[in-house]
Amino acid sequence: MWSLALVTTLALSGALAETVNLCRDDTQHSFAIDYRDNQFLLDGMPFRYVSGSFHYFRAPRHYWRDRLRAMRAAGLNAVSTYVEWSLHEPERDQFNWSGDADIVEFLNIAQQEDLLVLLRPGPYICAERDMGGLPYWLLRDTPDMKLRTKDAYFLGNATSFLTKLFDKIQPFLRGNGGPIIMVQVENEYGSFNACDKEYLDILKNIFLDKIQNKALLYTTDGTSESMLRCGSIPGVYATVDFGSDINVTKAFESMRAIQPQGPLVNSEYYPGWLTHWGESFQRVKTNAVVKTLNDMLKMGASVNIYMFYGGTNFGLTSGANGGENEFKPQITSYDYDAPLTEAGDPTEKYFAIRNVISQYLPMPGIPFPIASPKGNYGPVLLEAISELFDDNNLFEVSRSTDYDPKTFEALSVNQGLVLYETKLPSTISDEYTLNATTKDRGLIYVNKQLYGILSRGDKKFTLSLKKSYGDHLRILVENQGRLNYGNEIRDHKGLSDANIDGVQLKLWNMTGYAFPDVSVLQGKGIIPVNNGTLTSGPVFLRGHFTVTGQPLDTFLDTTGWGKGMAFVNGHNLGRYWPTVGPQITLYVPAPYLRMGDNELILLEFEYVSLTRKMKFQSVPNLG
């Protein structure tokens, strides 16, 4: 059936169109803006979305459908997800689109679960991920490149990645009958000091070339005038983001200042917040969240709740905040105090939000989620099986010698450790001071004996030592996550400015370690290692536990240990650091377990529990 409609619209490509008579097939898929009535049009009909953020890379793909269905049951009609460049291109021209990186399958499931999609492909995403989702090799191949600008190297690599991504998602664009109604250009660019308008315009044209008129392009920024001025792009719909602690009317007035007409949109509405190591777990009160949500929906706004399901920074993928004088790495959990917990369970906040949404949108009539049963698999005795500094180390990925210490990136080490070794000069005083900048945390050994720690986070860059300790200096540096937000995301890791009382140390041996596969430890026998402080270097420990019946989600309690990372059946659960907190337990998804025998491996850096045990319990402890 054909019909005539008179609307003022924003073409799906982002270009403004005149008020025209549109002749269209009612069955045609489209997403546009009616400027006359300040509303979206989905397939020609008035529409507004209440969306939730869920990043596919923060949950095993086994759980994607469950989390998406729980979101739909809350009344949401859309899901927002970032696309992480570093996940899909971990090394230059080496692409990964399978397993937990199978974004095509994620989009398929979203469509099957009756959710539209807001796609946020960056290329920079922040998301509290290492370097804001940018791949580390950008810093290796051109160390002085200017990220997020018209720098030819950055744009060339970003264009290559985006082209491959857009080729994959083409069938899922709304204009092609798919669920993707909006595609974000860059991400909160107004919070970045480059303010490179030429870069944004080039990026917009890259998006237009691939998206064409099949989805709506948009930007999102904070509500300040400077953020909106630098982050908005002519011909791209400008939206804002803010939390529950702000006056809604004033917040949307700032959007109106840059976007005079069109629907009101909060692209990131915060029901919780992120947490760093060493601080209290961040929470936002439910009453405040639902009040502000109701205020926005009452005004007719579209809203994306960031995060609706947070999930987990598995492996070593979490990022950090800070800058030149501050460094605050984020915890492994991305629970975010969201409506759905890290394990996907509904909270009081979930049902309160659902109640508000039900006053504005039709409920889908599907059962709302219930908390899943959890496994209590008890304590696991762990025995040492290998030292990191073994001569025949199985995790060595790089070895180099140079007069000056190289960065992780120059050594092709992404997320892991680098051991820097040198010989101290014979002319040092009997008592001397080691000065060094470690990015981010350095364990200091002299003649294979631990004497202290240098820490970027603690602003500790000096250590008093004695000549009698020996002359072989080792500094084991850990990357705790590259900065993901702000103006200093070009965050090279490693060691610099190492000197003894002002005299530079030269000629370094460097060994890089990475841990993609701990199965190489199979067959390793027990070795003698004392409990307590590890004075001669990190150790691997192994233990076994039994799962009877169908595996259930569980939580690994790291109480009593120092700092390290944990692996269950080869899956890297992430970093643990109970001596600093607030996170004490690591989330273990059931798909990582198996019936019968299971294996737990630790790489412990600093302190072995006196009990030599960790336990799997049914409740989380995030502090």
Side-chain angles (χ1 to χ4, degrees):
M1 178 178 177
W2 296 86
S3 65
L4 294 176
L6 182 63
V7 296
T8 306
T9 187
L10 179 69
L12 293 170
S13 65
L16 290 174
E18 301 295 331
T19 301
V20 294
N21 287 310
L22 298 179
C23 188
R24 59 182 298 279
D25 185 344
D26 281 346
T27 63
Q28 180 182 347
H29 295 290
S30 62
F31 191 70
I33 292 177
D34 175 355
Y35 278 91
R36 182 184 61 191
D37 292 325
N38 295 323
Q39 62 186 354
F40 289 118
L41 298 173
L42 177 67
D43 302 338
M45 300 299 293
F47 175 81
R48 64 109 159 255
Y49 63 81
V50 181
S51 167
S53 286
F54 163 29
H55 306 147
Y56 57 96
F57 44 80
R58 283 187 159 120
R61 64 180 286 161
H62 180 87
Y63 281 156
W64 288 351
R65 187 178 300 277
D66 174 83
R67 306 305 190 252
L68 290 168
R69 184 167 295 175
M71 295 170 70
R72 185 70 185 102
L76 303 181
N77 55 13
V79 59
S80 170
T81 189
Y82 281 124
V83 180
E84 187 174 45
W85 182 1
S86 58
L87 169 70
H88 295 293
E89 193 178 5
E91 292 288 344
R92 179 203 289 277
D93 296 328
Q94 296 179 19
F95 291 93
N96 173 26
W97 306 101
S98 62
D100 293 347
D102 189 352
I103 188 172
V104 168
E105 178 62 8
F106 181 82
L107 295 171
N108 266 320
I109 296 172
Q111 187 167 25
Q112 291 163 11
E113 295 300 325
D114 194 26
L115 287 165
L116 298 168
V117 175
L118 314 176
L119 196 71
R120 309 177 75 182
Y124 159 85
I125 62 172
C126 183
E128 284 71 62
R129 298 286 277 190
D130 186 275
M131 207 161 84
L134 299 175
Y136 90 99
W137 49 263
L138 292 173
L139 302 184
R140 176 192 64 202
D141 297 349
T142 308
D144 59 348
M145 71 176 300
K146 294 180 174 61
L147 301 172
R148 304 178 70 191
T149 70
K150 60 179 176 294
D151 180 291
Y153 179 80
F154 178 74
L155 265 176
N157 284 283
T159 301
S160 172
F161 165 67
L162 290 169
T163 297
K164 286 182 169 54
L165 170 67
F166 290 152
D167 286 345
K168 287 186 173 293
I169 66 156
Q170 278 288 335
F172 298 95
L173 299 174
R174 188 62 188 172
N176 292 327
I180 300 175
I181 56 174
M182 298 178 73
V183 179
Q184 182 179 301
V185 183
E186 244 280 350
N187 182 60
E188 296 183 319
Y189 194 70
S191 300
F192 190 58
N193 65 358
C195 201
D196 186 342
K197 287 292 191 176
E198 187 176 349
Y199 160 68
L200 291 180
D201 194 56
I202 294 171
L203 203 60
K204 178 189 76 172
N205 289 329
I206 293 169
F207 279 53
L208 286 175
D209 181 58
K210 292 296 182 178
I211 302 299
Q212 298 177 354
N213 64 340
K214 304 297 179 66
L216 180 72
L217 300 186
Y218 75 108
T219 61
T220 183
D221 285 285
T223 58
S224 78
E225 179 184 348
S226 62
M227 289 177 177
L228 286 163
R229 183 179 65 251
C230 285
S232 61
I233 308 171
V236 176
Y237 196 70
T239 72
V240 292
D241 50 37
F242 55 87
S244 61
D245 58 346
I246 195 168
N247 182 289
V248 172
T249 301
K250 289 186 177 179
F252 282 135
E253 284 176 356
S254 66
M255 177 183 167
R256 278 286 178 250
I258 197 77
Q259 188 71 65
Q261 291 178 289
L264 299 173
V265 178
N266 184 346
S267 289
E268 286 189 7
Y269 175 57
Y270 309 112
W273 197 244
L274 60 101
T275 301
H276 304 100
W277 291 109
E279 67 184 23
S280 299
F281 183 77
Q282 301 298 295
R283 297 190 183 277
V284 177
K285 292 182 178 180
T286 296
N287 288 343
V289 172
V290 295
K291 179 186 180 302
T292 303
L293 177 61
N294 187 63
D295 290 344
M296 290 186 290
L297 297 183
K298 191 182 298 183
M299 298 172 67
S302 286
V303 179
N304 174 62
I305 299 170
Y306 185 103
M307 299 291 297
F308 201 87
Y309 169 70
T312 310
N313 294 307
F314 291 113
L316 307 178
T317 55
S318 57
N321 284 314
E324 183 178 355
N325 298 312
E326 184 179 49
F327 181 72
K328 299 168 67 176
Q330 282 119 21
I331 63 175
T332 298
S333 172
Y334 204 62
D335 179 278
Y336 211 84
D337 195 31
L340 293 171
T341 69
E342 185 175 11
D345 296 331
T347 63
E348 173 193 354
K349 191 176 291 180
Y350 173 93
F351 292 104
I353 288 175
R354 182 177 183 272
N355 182 57
V356 173
I357 295 173
S358 69
Q359 300 172 42
Y360 297 92
L361 295 178
M363 289 291 104
I366 59 177
F368 52 75
I370 59 175
S372 63
K374 304 297 187 296
N376 188 344
Y377 300 120
V380 179
L381 178 65
L382 291 144
E383 299 285 0
I385 56 172
S386 182
E387 294 181 316
L388 182 66
F389 297 153
D390 279 353
D391 290 336
N392 298 317
N393 191 281
L394 300 171
F395 298 96
E396 180 181 314
V397 294
S398 177
R399 184 177 286 270
S400 181
T401 299
D402 208 323
Y403 280 100
D404 295 307
K406 295 181 178 179
T407 65
F408 276 49
E409 295 76 23
L411 295 166
S412 291
V413 177
N414 180 14
Q415 299 155 337
L417 307 165
V418 172
L419 178 65
Y420 297 87
E421 301 179 87
T422 191
K423 188 172 183 180
L424 296 172
S426 58
T427 56
I428 59 175
S429 305
D430 290 340
E431 295 186 0
Y432 62 92
T433 299
L434 169 68
N435 307 283
T437 298
T438 54
K439 287 189 172 182
D440 302 308
R441 184 177 175 85
L443 302 178
I444 310 302
Y445 303 87
V446 181
N447 280 21
K448 300 184 180 181
Q449 179 72 27
L450 178 68
Y451 284 102
I453 298 173
L454 300 184
S455 169
R456 178 184 183 186
D458 294 335
K459 301 179 183 179
K460 180 174 173 55
F461 303 112
T462 63
L463 183 66
S464 296
L465 298 169
K466 295 182 180 180
K467 187 173 184 178
S468 59
Y469 295 163
D471 63 355
H472 181 206
L473 175 67
R474 283 178 162 180
I475 303 178
L476 180 66
V477 177
E478 176 196 1
N479 168 7
Q480 294 183 284
R482 294 180 182 85
L483 295 174
N484 55 252
Y485 178 81
N487 300 321
E488 299 174 44
I489 57 172
R490 196 178 69 184
D491 189 19
H492 292 271
K493 299 302 184 182
L495 177 72
S496 60
D497 302 321
N499 67 82
I500 299 294
D501 295 328
V503 178
Q504 293 291 316
L505 294 172
K506 297 290 184 180
L507 195 58
W508 293 85
N509 292 321
M510 291 156 281
T511 307
Y513 303 100
F515 311 96
D517 182 8
V518 294
S519 66
V520 294
L521 292 169
Q522 294 295 329
K524 288 279 189 179
I526 296 173
I527 61 172
V529 170
N530 293 329
N531 297 342
T533 301
L534 292 170
T535 58
S536 59
V539 298
F540 291 94
L541 302 101
R542 180 177 59 212
H544 292 269
F545 62 102
T546 301
V547 172
T548 302
Q550 188 68 28
L552 303 173
D553 285 1
T554 186
F555 301 91
L556 180 63
D557 182 3
T558 66
T559 299
W561 292 77
K563 189 180 196 301
M565 60 187 81
F567 304 80
V568 169
N569 297 329
H571 297 278
N572 191 336
L573 303 179
R575 301 178 177 96
Y576 64 84
W577 199 4
T579 54
V580 168
Q583 179 174 4
I584 305 299
T585 56
L586 292 174
Y587 172 56
V588 186
Y592 289 3
L593 304 175
R594 56 193 176 224
M595 293 179 62
D597 183 66
N598 291 260
E599 180 183 65
L600 170 64
I601 288 179
L602 304 184
L603 173 55
E604 171 58 56
F605 299 153
E606 299 177 15
Y607 187 88
V608 172
S609 167
L610 301 182
T611 68
R612 290 208 179 212
K613 293 180 180 179
M614 281 190 182
K615 66 178 179 180
F616 290 93
Q617 62 189 43
S618 59
V619 293
N621 181 358
L622 297 177

